Amino acid sequence: MGHLDHAAFGVLTPALSYLMAVIGAALGLRCTVRALGTTGRSRRNWLLTAASAIGTGIWTMHFVAMLGFAVRGTDIRFDVPLTILSLLVAMLVVGAGVFCVGYGRDRRRALLVGGLSTGVGVASMHYLGMAALRLHGSVDYDPLLVALSVAIAVVAATAALWAALNIRSPLAVAVASLVMGAAVSSMHYTGMLAVGVEVTPATGELPGASAMQFIFPLAVGLGSYLFVTAAFVALSPAAGERAVPASPGGPVSDASQRRSAATAAPDPRRTPAPTP
């Protein structure tokens, strides 16, 4: 049995992966809150942004943590198509859960269905990403720990969707994001504890790309996407803010609007009579 190291770079990768999960959760919650306050195309666009933010955050969390994964006695490579597929799965399943909550008429049923589908999908993303692992040896799993990781994913997803439906203040969203990040990280490392590797000595080169060749650039790119999206959400006015008219001197009062309307309206006494 090969010795597994889940933090080959110390606390760096666990801390960064947790940060990615928190940022993704915070963006997803804020975007979902914005979506629930709008209708039509605007709601759809906010929900799409929420799904991409949460899905990207979860995927980035997983593979940043995997940068610190090492097995004594073998190199590690990643199958590129499977790794990209795991990213698409993360976005699609999170999108299904978010849209279920965003458009569901029965909030309780939408929450249960959305939480279950999203949680199972997040767990599928994790184990699909693990299936992309290439090393000299065989990988097996502890069924009980796998089941526990899936249960954690379902509970975390349901809690996140509940927060999106019930939490409005920025402070509450921040606290919920910290909890969600911890839950997602717990799911990942519980799933990693389920892993066992039987190393087979070999000298041939492994197929796939190394973490630094593929995972690191992709994780950096997606992390940058999260930060850009955070800036967009922070600078985008909420629906209530859009409804308040503004002028160079500040908000326009109702009285000033009436005065402006009265000034702009034509005076019937000054209207010339029609020529016969």
Side-chain angles (χ1 to χ4, degrees):
M1 184 73 68
H3 174 73
L4 278 61
D5 189 348
H6 298 286
F9 299 105
V11 298
L12 178 62
T13 49
L16 282 177
S17 64
Y18 173 70
L19 177 62
M20 292 297 103
V22 169
I23 292 174
L27 283 175
L29 291 178
R30 289 301 297 163
C31 291
T32 306
V33 169
R34 295 285 184 91
L36 294 176
T38 60
T39 57
R41 182 180 298 178
S42 181
R43 171 173 288 198
R44 182 202 64 191
N45 292 341
W46 278 116
L47 290 175
L48 286 173
T49 306
S52 66
I54 298 176
T56 299
I58 292 173
W59 187 94
T60 306
M61 176 270 148
H62 171 80
F63 279 101
V64 167
M66 289 302 294
L67 290 174
F69 179 68
V71 181
R72 184 180 300 170
T74 178
D75 294 330
I76 292 177
R77 295 289 186 273
F78 293 90
D79 182 275
V80 175
L82 272 180
T83 302
I84 294 177
L85 179 61
S86 68
L87 172 60
L88 297 178
V89 167
M91 290 186 177
L92 287 175
V93 297
V94 171
V98 167
F99 272 80
C100 186
V101 167
Y103 287 101
R105 295 185 178 181
D106 186 335
R107 288 286 180 90
R108 181 175 298 179
R109 180 180 299 175
L111 181 62
L112 292 176
V113 174
L116 179 61
S117 62
T118 303
V120 172
V122 168
S124 300
M125 180 278 300
H126 172 87
Y127 289 105
L128 187 59
M130 291 301 296
L133 207 63
R134 299 291 180 263
L135 47 77
H136 293 301
S138 59
V139 179
D140 55 45
Y141 295 91
D142 183 324
L144 291 179
L145 287 176
V146 169
L148 178 59
S149 69
V150 175
I152 293 174
V154 171
V155 171
T158 305
L161 294 176
W162 178 89
L165 287 173
N166 296 280
I167 291 178
R168 294 293 180 267
S169 72
L171 179 60
V173 168
V175 173
S177 302
L178 294 173
V179 175
M180 179 63 182
V184 172
S185 297
S186 299
M187 176 267 161
H188 171 82
Y189 285 105
T190 301
M192 295 307 295
L193 288 176
V195 175
V197 176
E198 188 70 35
V199 175
T200 302
T203 57
E205 186 167 346
L206 290 165
S210 69
M212 290 302 175
Q213 289 174 335
F214 173 63
I215 301 299
F216 181 72
L218 190 57
V220 169
L222 292 175
S224 300
Y225 164 77
L226 288 176
F227 282 107
V228 170
T229 306
F232 167 76
V233 173
L235 296 174
S236 177
E241 296 169 341
R242 294 192 189 96
V244 179
S247 69
V252 180
S253 64
D254 292 340
S256 63
Q257 291 182 29
R258 286 194 296 271
R259 285 196 298 270
S260 299
T263 303
D267 189 346
R269 292 173 298 179
R270 296 183 181 179
T271 302
T275 303

